[in-house]
Amino acid sequence: MRSALADRAELDRLEQSYGALRRVTTLVARGISPTEAFTTVAGELGADHAAIDRYEDDQTATVVGWWSDPQSPRFIAPIAERWPIGPRSTAALVLRTGGPVRTSSASFTGQAGAWAQSHGIKHIISCPVWVEGRLWGDVAVMFRDETAPPDDTEERLTDFVELVACTLAQAKSRADLIDPRARVIAASDAARRRIERDLHDGVQQHLVSLSFDPRAAESATPPGQDDLRDRLTNTGRGLSNAIAESQEICRGLHPGVLSKSGLRAAPQTLARRSPVPVELRVEVPASLPEQLQVTLYYLVSEALNNVAKHANASAARVDLDHDDHEIRLSIRDDGRGGAVIGHGSGLIGLKDRVDAVDGTLRLRSPAGEGTSLEVAVPL
């Protein structure tokens, strides 16, 4: 018969296991990222190291996440390393069985197995990660002790990995929403550039050439032909106006100042054009992806247009800065407030642009207290 002490130890172990599962479940319900979920899971299993691997289409596995117990020996984590999936490797066993796999150092094979042996790892338990019915990869927990992990480790790991899979599915769903929107916006930006180029290289050049003829004819008009001369003058003036309007259309289609001066200088042009005085501070990297530059430029442009048209403000402030992780844009005014996303296409368009680059947009606009627009975009 089992002793009362053994029963108590088993009960304590079960309570700890379920408590850990509840903690991770609560975090997943709050919307943590796959990386955070994996790190939390790894810390609950009593392993020395843990990795999350993504299976690729070329029979390799890429290490996309790594965790080590603070008490374990330190070494360079194999993040982003890609291992071949050999015929007898742990990953191959997971792919073949679709279930958890336990291996020891005596049976480690291939490049990944050699790496594990060289770093003192004695046991590995790998559990498959299924995302939307597809075998996405695995979570592998590693132990340095010669003693084999408890028999229920696979069962516990499976429960935890299902939660990691939930966060991966959520992230995939978000990416599926963002990607089409980003493609549509990128395509519209490309179309604007193409129209701008066609206007500049075709219509504008043709108008400039035509404008020379009325001037030449005006100079050659004989005395006494005042009416003809006036008509030629008006024609030349009309062509000059058409050229100016075409140039203005081009400026509205695509911010050429970005190509010439970059994002550091472009907001200065917008601030100078604004009828509302603008205090401006810009501190951004010299080189940013073009789509991100265009997004930030249009955010500033549209927001300042809204201030001029609707806010009844006496001043505005634009701050654009960054750290190692994100670009931050803040636009504030001292106007009437009351702005709401969804009332008018301007703010909806801004939110779509921010969503397309996986950013966040927060609007605060209490009536009578001005409007504050805060944007954060990951680098």
Side-chain angles (χ1 to χ4, degrees), residues 283 285 321-328 377 379:
E283 296 179 6
D321 60 15
H322 75 289
D323 58 22
D324 292 338
H325 306 290
E326 64 182 13
I327 296 284
R328 294 182 296 269
V377 179
L379 283 174

Side-chain angles (χ1 to χ4, degrees), residues 311 333-339 365-371:
D333 67 66
D334 61 356
R336 68 180 68 182
S365 187
E369 298 182 24
T371 297

Side-chain angles (χ1 to χ4, degrees), residues 286-309:
S287 177
L288 287 174
E290 182 184 13
Q291 184 184 358
L292 181 53
Q293 290 193 46
V294 172
T295 295
L296 293 168
Y297 177 89
Y298 278 124
L299 288 173
V300 175
S301 176
E302 184 65 27
L304 291 180
N305 283 337
N306 288 340
V307 171
K309 292 178 181 178

Side-chain angles (χ1 to χ4, degrees), residues 146-264:
E146 293 284 358
T147 304
D151 292 340
D152 66 344
T153 304
E154 285 91 339
E155 181 181 353
R156 295 181 63 208
L157 180 58
T158 299
D159 291 337
F160 283 120
V161 168
E162 287 178 358
L163 296 173
V164 175
C166 285
T167 64
L168 287 166
Q170 291 167 1
K172 181 179 182 301
S173 296
R174 176 167 173 76
D176 288 343
L177 288 173
I178 289 172
D179 286 349
R181 186 177 296 172
R183 288 195 295 269
V184 168
I185 290 177
S188 66
D189 288 339
R192 287 190 184 98
R193 287 193 295 272
R194 185 172 61 253
I195 295 170
E196 177 194 18
R197 184 177 61 250
D198 292 344
L199 282 173
H200 180 271
D201 296 344
V203 175
Q204 286 183 20
Q205 298 303 319
H206 186 52
L207 288 173
V208 169
S209 298
L210 288 175
S211 67
F212 294 138
D213 293 337
R215 295 173 188 170
E218 181 183 355
S219 300
T221 301
Q225 298 292 326
D226 294 339
D227 183 60
L228 176 59
R229 185 179 292 106
D230 290 342
R231 290 188 179 185
L232 291 171
T233 300
N234 290 334
T235 301
R237 187 179 297 117
L239 287 169
S240 296
N241 291 337
I243 293 170
E245 290 175 4
S246 174
Q247 291 171 339
E248 189 64 29
I249 291 171
C250 284
R251 282 195 290 269
L253 284 171
H254 188 77
V257 67
L258 284 177
S259 303
K260 296 177 182 177
S261 306
L263 189 60
R264 289 179 174 178

Side-chain angles (χ1 to χ4, degrees), residues 73-85:
R74 291 289 180 182
F75 49 79
I76 298 176
I79 289 292
E81 290 195 21
R82 183 175 288 197
W83 309 107
I85 298 178

